[in-house]
Amino acid sequence: MNDPILAEPALNPLERLLDVHFSEQVLSKLLGPDSAALGEPIWNRALRGPVRDFVERPSKALRAGLLASCHQLAGGRGPCPDELSAVVEILHAGSLIIDDIEDASTARRGRPALHLMHGLPVALNAANWMYFWALSLLQDLPLGEKSQLLLHRWALRTLMRCHHGQSLDLTANVYELRQADVAGVVRATTELK
């Protein structure tokens, strides 16, 4: 008899997709059999563990919820695919890790910032990998090539715009700007990020 109190907690969609990615079958196809055979302890320390540490933290999943609503309003068939919602959440999560590094933040989502727990190089690599992981999930969606291409273009444009906005946020000091430039810089930073 299965006792619901003793049952394992359900994985959130990001955790489930992460487990799928780090399965031997997927790693073998992507990296080759030798790299896939390195084993769970090595991949957990190098990449899977830090990413899982972040994606299992409590999140409002606001962006995924908005995307699911848009999917429904646009006449999507059935529920919004986990992979599509995950793309938005993974890109956001990766950007939060980078933002914490850039801002020297000490905490995120109720726990120490990832760079403090796993070291700056590992956290930076994990965040960058999350950008590519999100983009790779687009090719798993049941869409035609034209739709996939449009989604890839949208994602790349969004990443470019966000990084432009972040660069302004990191370098523009309103006390050093000409007064005539302040409103434009603040508007651009807000819109792009």
Side-chain angles (χ1 to χ4, degrees), residues 20 24 60 69 81 84 93 97 100-101 112 120 127 135 151 164 166 180 192:
V20 168
E24 191 170 339
K60 296 177 205 135
S69 294
L84 187 57
I97 296 167
D100 288 346
I101 292 167
L120 190 134
L135 294 174
L151 279 174
H164 279 85
Q166 182 68 356
L192 295 170

Side-chain angles (χ1 to χ4, degrees), residues 8-188:
E8 288 286 321
L11 296 178
N12 73 42
L14 297 184
E15 291 174 285
R16 185 185 59 74
L17 290 169
L18 188 64
D19 286 349
V20 168
H21 177 82
F22 279 95
S23 69
E24 191 170 339
Q25 178 185 3
V26 172
L27 285 180
S28 185
K29 184 177 176 184
L30 179 68
L31 307 175
D34 291 340
S35 294
L38 290 176
E40 195 171 305
I42 291 172
W43 284 118
N44 277 341
R45 182 170 179 191
L47 186 57
R48 182 183 186 195
V51 171
R52 184 178 198 105
D53 179 354
F54 199 85
V55 301
E56 72 184 6
R57 295 176 183 194
S59 163
K60 296 177 205 135
L62 176 67
R63 286 153 190 82
L66 287 171
L67 185 66
S69 294
C70 290
H71 179 268
Q72 184 180 13
L73 287 170
R77 295 183 198 126
C80 184
D82 283 346
E83 291 80 4
L84 187 57
S85 295
V87 167
V88 176
E89 288 297 320
I90 294 165
L91 289 173
H92 180 62
S95 73
L96 292 176
I97 296 167
I98 298 288
D99 193 59
D100 288 346
I101 292 167
E102 293 170 338
D103 295 343
S105 298
T106 59
R108 176 67 70 177
R109 295 181 174 171
R111 297 188 53 201
L114 206 67
H115 65 279
L116 297 178
M117 293 184 70
H118 297 277
L120 190 134
V122 171
L124 182 60
N125 185 68
N128 288 330
W129 178 81
M130 290 171 83
Y131 291 153
F132 299 112
W133 179 37
L135 294 174
S136 75
L137 288 173
L138 292 175
Q139 65 195 16
D140 296 336
L141 293 170
L143 301 170
E145 285 185 34
K146 184 176 180 181
S147 294
Q148 281 193 8
L149 179 59
L150 289 173
L151 279 174
H152 275 278
R153 286 180 176 167
W154 165 82
L156 290 172
R157 183 174 188 269
T158 299
L159 285 167
M160 290 291 291
R161 289 175 54 85
C162 289
H163 280 77
H164 279 85
Q166 182 68 356
S167 70
L168 292 173
D169 190 34
L170 291 169
T171 61
N173 183 334
V174 294
Y175 301 109
E176 296 172 357
L177 292 172
R178 293 180 315 128
Q179 187 173 7
D181 293 336
V182 171
V185 169
V186 170
R187 185 173 44 258

